Amino acid sequence: MDDLIADFVAECREMLEALGGEIVAWEAQPDDRSRLDSIFRFVHTVKGNCGFFDFPRLEALSHAAEDALADVRAGRRTPDAALVSAVLAIIDRIGEMIGCIEAGEDFPAGDDSSLIAALAPGAEGAAAPVAAAIPEGKGGAASAPRTIRLSVELLDRVMSGVSDMVLARNELARRLRETPTDVTVDGAFERLSGIIAEMRDAITRTRMQRIENLFVALPRMVRDLSAELGKQVLVDIDGGDVELDREMIEMIRDPLTHIIRNAVDHGIEAPADRIKGGKREIGLLCVSARQSGNQILIDIVDDGRGIDGKKLVEKAISSGALGKAEASALSPREQLALIFEAGLSTAKEVTAISGRGVGMDVVRSNVERIGGIVEVDSKPGEGTRMTLRVPLTLTIIPALTVSIANQNFAIPRSAIEEIVRVNGESVTLDHIGGAGVATIRGRRVPEVSLAEVLGLESIVAANEGSLIVLRPAGGDVYALAVDRIHDHEELVVKPAAPAVMATGLYAGTTLADDGSPILLFDPAGVAQVGGVKLEAQERTARVVETATAVAQRDNSVLLFRGLDGGRRALRLAIVDRIEEVERKAIRKAAGQLRVQLGDTILPLAGAEALEKGDEKVRVFRLNDGNHEIGYAFKEVIDLMPMDGELIPADNPGAVSGVTLIGGEPAELVDAHWLFSNHLGAAVKPADRGVCRLPSDDPWMQNMLRPIVEAAGYVVIGEEDELIPDLVIASDGKQVEAADKAKVIVLRSDPEGEDGESIYRYDRAGLLMALKAASGRGK
Amino acid sequence: MNELLLIVTVGGSRVALPAAAVESVVELDTLIPVPRAPAHVAGLSALRSRVLTVIDCMRSLELGATDCTDGVREAAVVEVDGHHYALIVDVVEDVVEALSDPSAVRAAMGAGWERVSKGMVETEEGPLLLIDIEKLITGPVAEARAA
């Protein structure tokens, strides 16, 4: 708010300065229309802003002056000297007050009514200024942030200059990499890079604008609208200090306005209806903005009647946008999403403000064009929440580079939902009437072959490419088949030439790090050119998904072939992910096979039949909620419901039993046994025994202790108060046996078998004794 | 009128471009094709960290296609509406001074030439056709895709 006031003060000062000459000229020539206009503009601006800032005195003054001047402008009154001096007195007073606001002081006490009265036709000259003398030397001025006004074009030029600089730097970096250079050159280049990066940040910030600029106009708009509709609406605005790219603010102005008009018109009920519904007669409209990652979220929440999903569905059916069968399968969320369909409006009658059914579809397409999303959530009778999600900036886009036929393209990362391999386990590709349909984990999504869309020849076999699941914006998923996936890059994107944009496929061009131009796809455009019917497909796709999900929730198992060729099954719930690792990531360490996945090392099961020849091994990552282990396998067969009976295994082991899955026997892997066996004692502190070792014996502490600990004991010394389950002592030392504690006596002489003591390097004997002791301890 | 003209050869004909509009003359090497773009858009190229949209003048004039496979091509770089274009020509010759205002050509020209013509100008090297660069970039209307 303080910043806004500072802006207001700055603007007024600027206008006052400019007016200085005008006022004098107007005084000399009261019928000069252009002077009159500029003075009118000034008081009008002051009046408009005062209403927002709650400066009632300023408002009253400027309002009175505006009225008088409006009469003059409309020709209802001829300006005379009395009027001129009355207006001038008011402008002077406004100037004084603005000085006070700037200095953060209260207005000098005084009454403005005499000034206002002087405006009245036929008033007797301007009253002498009655305000107390304004203290001179306003110290507050120095504390105000120093600002200048710049033209936006200039800023844009600087911005594009910096973008070019970044690109030039990238090119230079590439050239430097190619040729051997002096260390000092590299150093200088590094410094230059740093400076450019810093500059880019700074200039990006200069393009940022507070979203307040967008919000400022809302209270007035809502006030006018609600007055027109006979409603009472209170606007609550929050998060105006969130910053957003200037261009972006312009792009969301219309969608936001439209949503708010809708909320006031359709959302919030008339006062009588609200009281009937048990609500306060004044409707509440909250508009808030916040930043979340590199997105800005703008919520528009009203407490009105909400959106009736069923009505929307009926409307959609009657307008033919939706089939009856489809309609019955829609989830409540999907029903609400129908408001974004063209030509639907639940308003009973069309009003001047909204309800013609054009709008929400336009809102969505406008928001999506800038890479944003509109979400809607509503409870009938309680209100509606609309959320606009828009990216922070348009110019720098994180993107994924892919290739087709050796040509690179970029895809904005915000649209990418996931990336799957065509020959992956959970992916099948079908062709139905010439159209590609990919089934990814039970979800049917339309497939678009990038090669076909672009008219290029794919250079990899159909089953070797990758599918990128794209959600252009909103919720229209499709899969794009590409040859290869390359890298993530932050790209400075520029609009391409009109002829290129006209293809509808591209969102812009940019230069990759290697200096070659890259085209950035517009995911929605690609879908359109690829002939995907987004809306209709998506609905059915979701229906398929939910249906299978319900059927499989309880007992679906993942059928796979183990490394030894056995047909096995694992309960799906414990499989976290599937990873493919290099053979060398699997090695025997600390007593068992372990696999390295990223920077974690997990115990590996199922790898008994691992062969030397296997270059890559696939591993299930199993998760019990706390711990993870790996399970090596050869291939996934399918995801199946487990319907047959389980015939339990005779002995506890890696397999808990055999069952019929998909008509053939399969071993069900006992995940519990796997975890209990492979995680070892280390993670089961509850079961640990307590072993007392002499704390003054270095051999015991250094050599024996790790073995005892590895066997699952907590090692204590004589001083500790825990009651030991096991006491280990050297022979010849006094053993202070605790109650029920088993005692192991170690001797340092290999000979001298006496039946009670164990030779200290008889590892097998020692482990046996430890195991026996732990068995008894339980 | 002493407008400067850049004489280039396209499809074997010598024509004039307004020199003021031409930023530079470059030799293009790499060319990144733009799939599904209108035929006269030969592709994209990079010049001093800027993306150039490369226009094949031959195709734009419907005179056939320039063979871009043999490597280096000469092109005139122009800026139209904030976008940079490289116009592929056969040869860039010289800059001359226009000795007259463009006047309508009354002889029958090919349809492609007719479309981009700004008229005929007199120069020391004889009469030359003055090309409208924007129309050259727009390309044959029939082939411009709306979608």
Side-chain angles (χ1 to χ4, degrees):
Chain A
M1 196 65 167
D2 286 348
D3 289 338
L4 275 182
I5 291 179
D7 278 352
F8 164 66
V9 168
E11 191 181 3
C12 288
R13 282 225 167 279
E14 214 170 77
M15 289 175 85
L16 273 174
E17 268 164 38
L19 270 183
E22 308 273 321
I23 292 172
V24 180
W26 189 49
E27 203 166 16
Q29 248 184 314
D31 50 355
D32 185 331
R33 182 64 193 228
S34 68
R35 309 260 188 268
L36 176 65
D37 282 351
S38 51
I39 295 170
F40 179 80
R41 259 201 305 280
F42 170 70
V43 289
H44 179 77
T45 309
V46 173
K47 189 197 80 171
N49 288 335
C50 293
F52 183 69
F53 290 120
D54 190 27
F55 294 135
R57 276 181 66 188
L58 266 185
E59 191 178 7
L61 278 173
S62 47
H63 194 120
E66 189 191 7
D67 283 352
L69 291 174
D71 282 348
V72 175
R73 277 159 53 102
R76 286 191 290 269
R77 197 174 162 183
T78 40
D80 51 20
L83 176 68
V84 171
S85 37
V87 169
L88 293 188
I90 284 181
I91 289 174
D92 284 348
R93 178 64 62 84
I94 290 173
E96 288 163 11
M97 286 179 167
I98 286 168
C100 294
I101 296 169
E102 191 177 15
E105 295 160 12
D106 289 335
F107 294 145
D111 191 7
D112 307 316
S113 54
S114 58
L115 287 178
I116 292 169
L119 283 170
E124 300 242 334
V130 281
I134 304 295
E136 284 302 314
K138 299 168 193 90
S143 66
R146 292 195 302 160
T147 56
I148 54 163
R149 280 157 185 264
L150 285 176
S151 79
V152 164
E153 291 90 279
L154 178 65
L155 266 188
D156 281 352
R157 237 170 65 206
V158 176
M159 179 73 189
S160 88
V162 171
S163 299
D164 285 349
M165 209 151 79
V166 171
L167 293 172
R169 184 202 69 104
N170 290 350
E171 192 178 341
L172 184 59
R174 185 168 51 84
R175 296 268 149 97
L176 283 177
R177 274 201 303 273
E178 281 165 4
T179 48
T181 44
D182 205 337
V183 180
T184 53
V185 174
D186 285 342
F189 177 72
E190 282 305 312
R191 210 167 64 240
L192 178 71
S193 284
I195 295 168
I196 292 176
E198 209 167 279
M199 249 188 95
R200 186 164 98 172
D201 279 358
I203 199 71
T204 308
R205 272 211 303 281
T206 63
R207 281 171 55 97
M208 296 300 223
Q209 218 175 31
R210 285 161 170 264
I211 203 164
E212 211 146 43
N213 290 310
L214 188 58
F215 286 176
V216 161
L218 299 183
R220 176 66 194 269
M221 189 184 89
V222 172
R223 195 194 69 82
D224 290 355
L225 265 179
S226 49
E228 195 179 318
L229 294 163
K231 294 176 181 179
Q232 288 177 306
V233 183
L234 191 70
V235 194
D236 180 20
I237 289 180
D238 191 25
D241 53 349
V242 167
E243 290 189 327
L244 201 56
D245 193 278
R246 191 180 50 73
E247 254 173 272
M248 200 59 95
I249 288 192
E250 289 312 311
M251 300 294 272
I252 58 178
R253 190 182 293 274
D254 287 350
L256 182 69
T257 308
H258 197 94
I259 290 174
I260 288 176
R261 290 169 82 92
N262 260 339
V264 175
D265 192 4
H266 304 309
I268 290 172
E269 312 93 325
D273 294 339
R274 289 184 64 87
I275 292 170
K276 239 183 269 170
K279 299 185 200 173
R280 280 177 60 200
E281 69 216 72
I282 301 175
L284 189 63
L285 182 69
C286 299
V287 182
S288 61
R290 70 201 140 92
Q291 185 175 352
S292 161
N294 59 355
Q295 281 190 322
I296 298 287
L297 273 68
I298 303 170
D299 279 331
I300 301 104
V301 184
D302 69 64
D303 66 346
R305 62 170 71 94
I307 300 170
D308 190 339
K310 290 197 185 67
K311 257 196 208 158
L312 274 174
V313 173
E314 282 164 24
K315 189 106 181 188
I317 293 172
S318 66
S319 74
L322 193 68
K324 272 217 168 89
E326 277 179 278
S328 60
L330 292 184
S331 71
R333 253 196 122 75
E334 286 159 358
Q335 292 179 352
L336 288 180
L338 286 173
I339 64 162
F340 296 118
E341 303 257 328
L344 285 185
S345 170
T346 52
K348 281 195 213 80
E349 57 197 79
V350 171
T351 66
I353 288 140
S354 46
R356 284 177 299 270
V358 288
M360 289 314 286
D361 56 324
V362 179
V363 166
R364 179 161 75 167
S365 62
N366 279 350
V367 173
E368 288 178 358
R369 198 176 315 140
I370 53 174
I373 295 176
V374 194
E375 292 165 339
V376 57
D377 189 17
S378 179
K379 280 202 186 112
E382 285 178 33
T384 306
R385 168 191 295 270
M386 294 285 235
T387 306
L388 292 178
R389 286 169 179 271
V390 293
L392 266 181
T393 166
L394 286 169
T395 43
I396 299 166
I397 296 182
L400 181 76
T401 48
V402 301
S403 72
I404 189 104
N406 290 327
Q407 187 176 349
N408 283 5
F409 295 92
I411 299 176
R413 213 152 71 192
S414 57
I416 297 175
E417 196 166 79
E418 69 172 319
I419 297 165
V420 292
R421 285 193 4 219
V422 171
N423 59 351
E425 297 76 19
S426 48
V427 179
T428 48
L429 267 183
D430 299 294
H431 283 267
I432 297 163
V437 174
T439 310
I440 300 167
R441 286 189 307 278
R443 180 163 77 160
R444 299 250 152 80
V445 290
E447 182 236 6
V448 175
S449 162
L450 191 53
E452 273 171 36
V453 169
L454 300 182
L456 297 173
E457 204 62 40
S458 175
I459 51 158
V460 299
N463 61 350
E464 276 178 18
S466 294
L467 284 178
I468 301 176
V469 181
L470 288 169
R471 185 183 287 275
D476 310 329
V477 178
Y478 71 97
L480 187 68
V482 301
D483 282 1
R484 292 208 175 86
I485 310 261
H486 295 283
D487 211 355
H488 287 291
E489 288 186 48
E490 302 257 313
L491 299 175
V492 181
V493 176
K494 301 194 166 175
V500 175
M501 296 302 257
T503 59
L505 284 170
Y506 310 109
T509 61
T510 186
L511 289 179
D513 280 349
D514 66 355
S516 58
I518 282 194
L519 285 154
L520 180 80
F521 282 124
D522 168 10
V526 172
Q528 207 172 11
V529 175
V532 175
K533 294 183 199 78
L534 291 173
E535 301 290 333
Q537 289 278 6
E538 174 58 11
R539 273 192 222 111
T540 45
R542 283 199 202 152
V543 174
V544 168
E545 183 188 21
T546 42
T548 50
V550 171
Q552 296 178 348
R553 196 197 304 149
D554 286 327
N555 54 358
S556 60
V557 290
L558 195 59
L559 196 61
F560 65 96
R561 209 171 289 288
L563 286 183
D564 56 357
R567 199 165 180 270
R568 301 216 176 87
L570 256 174
R571 285 190 196 275
L572 185 62
I574 62 160
V575 180
D576 230 13
R577 300 184 231 159
I578 295 170
E579 308 228 17
E580 194 172 67
V581 298
E582 300 277 332
R583 171 68 182 83
K584 61 178 190 284
I586 298 176
R587 54 184 61 164
K588 201 164 172 109
Q592 59 171 302
L593 276 176
R594 287 170 203 273
V595 60
Q596 185 190 349
L597 294 168
D599 28 346
T600 54
I601 295 175
L602 302 179
L604 183 66
E608 293 79 10
L610 190 64
E611 282 165 29
K612 281 247 150 58
D614 300 335
E615 290 254 309
K616 298 231 171 169
V617 181
R618 289 177 170 191
V619 175
F620 289 124
R621 209 161 162 159
L622 309 181
N623 192 329
D624 70 345
N626 293 317
H627 301 286
E628 287 186 310
I629 62 173
Y631 192 100
F633 67 100
K634 191 177 265 160
E635 58 179 351
V636 166
I637 301 172
D638 207 352
L639 194 64
M640 299 282 250
M642 198 180 84
D643 34 19
E645 260 181 60
L646 182 73
I647 303 152
D650 294 340
N651 297 312
V655 170
S656 64
V658 185
T659 183
L660 281 179
I661 296 176
E664 280 183 60
E667 294 175 326
L668 189 67
V669 174
D670 185 342
H672 182 268
W673 187 88
L674 285 182
F675 273 93
S676 64
N677 230 39
H678 286 272
L679 286 174
V683 292
K684 295 185 287 180
D687 293 337
R688 295 171 85 174
V690 178
C691 173
R692 193 170 78 202
L693 293 182
S695 48
D696 55 353
D697 185 331
W699 185 85
M700 290 271 193
Q701 289 296 331
N702 298 333
M703 308 285 275
L704 186 63
R705 186 171 176 148
I707 297 173
V708 176
E709 281 177 340
Y713 285 92
V714 175
V715 174
I716 59 169
E718 287 98 340
E719 301 81 22
D720 290 302
E721 286 180 9
L722 275 175
I723 298 162
D725 302 312
L726 174 71
V727 177
I728 299 180
S730 304
D731 60 343
K733 289 270 173 73
Q734 187 63 37
V735 179
E736 198 183 312
D739 293 340
K740 289 187 218 162
K742 167 115 171 102
V743 179
I744 297 177
V745 179
L746 300 179
R747 61 189 146 78
S748 45
D749 184 4
E751 308 301 321
E753 192 89 24
D754 57 5
E756 280 173 30
S757 58
I758 303 168
Y759 170 49
R760 61 178 4 185
Y761 287 117
D762 177 4
R763 191 181 170 94
L766 193 60
L767 287 177
M768 287 267 274
L770 284 171
K771 203 165 181 184
S774 72
R776 196 173 305 175
K778 280 179 194 168
Chain B
M1 172 164 169
N2 348 330
E3 192 186 354
L4 289 177
L5 302 173
L6 181 71
I7 302 179
V8 298
T9 309
V10 179
S13 309
R14 297 173 79 214
V15 293
L17 299 174
V22 178
E23 285 187 3
S24 54
V25 174
V26 296
E27 293 189 336
L28 299 172
D29 40 11
T30 52
L31 203 55
I32 307 283
V34 181
R36 291 189 80 110
H40 71 283
V41 175
L44 301 177
S45 190
L47 171 72
R48 291 193 296 273
S49 40
R50 266 184 307 185
V51 176
L52 298 178
T53 307
V54 182
I55 303 290
D56 181 347
C57 292
M58 293 278 281
R59 279 186 187 273
S60 180
L61 293 167
E62 296 168 275
L63 297 174
T66 310
D67 181 14
C68 294
T69 52
D70 58 348
V72 180
R73 307 292 321 177
E74 268 193 293
V77 177
V78 297
E79 183 181 339
V80 175
D81 289 339
H83 297 286
H84 291 87
Y85 296 89
L87 311 174
I88 299 185
V89 296
D90 297 345
V91 186
V92 176
E93 284 183 19
D94 202 0
V95 177
V96 294
E97 205 168 296
L99 300 175
S100 74
D101 282 340
S103 57
V105 182
R106 286 167 51 220
M109 294 186 289
W113 289 111
E114 191 78 60
R115 194 169 44 74
V116 301
S117 161
K118 258 188 171 176
M120 188 178 68
V121 283
E122 291 296 337
T123 69
E124 284 170 359
E125 311 227 341
L128 287 172
L129 185 68
L130 184 64
I131 300 285
D132 184 335
I133 290 176
E134 289 183 30
K135 295 223 170 97
L136 194 62
I137 288 166
T138 313
V141 181
E143 277 181 50
R145 289 168 208 213

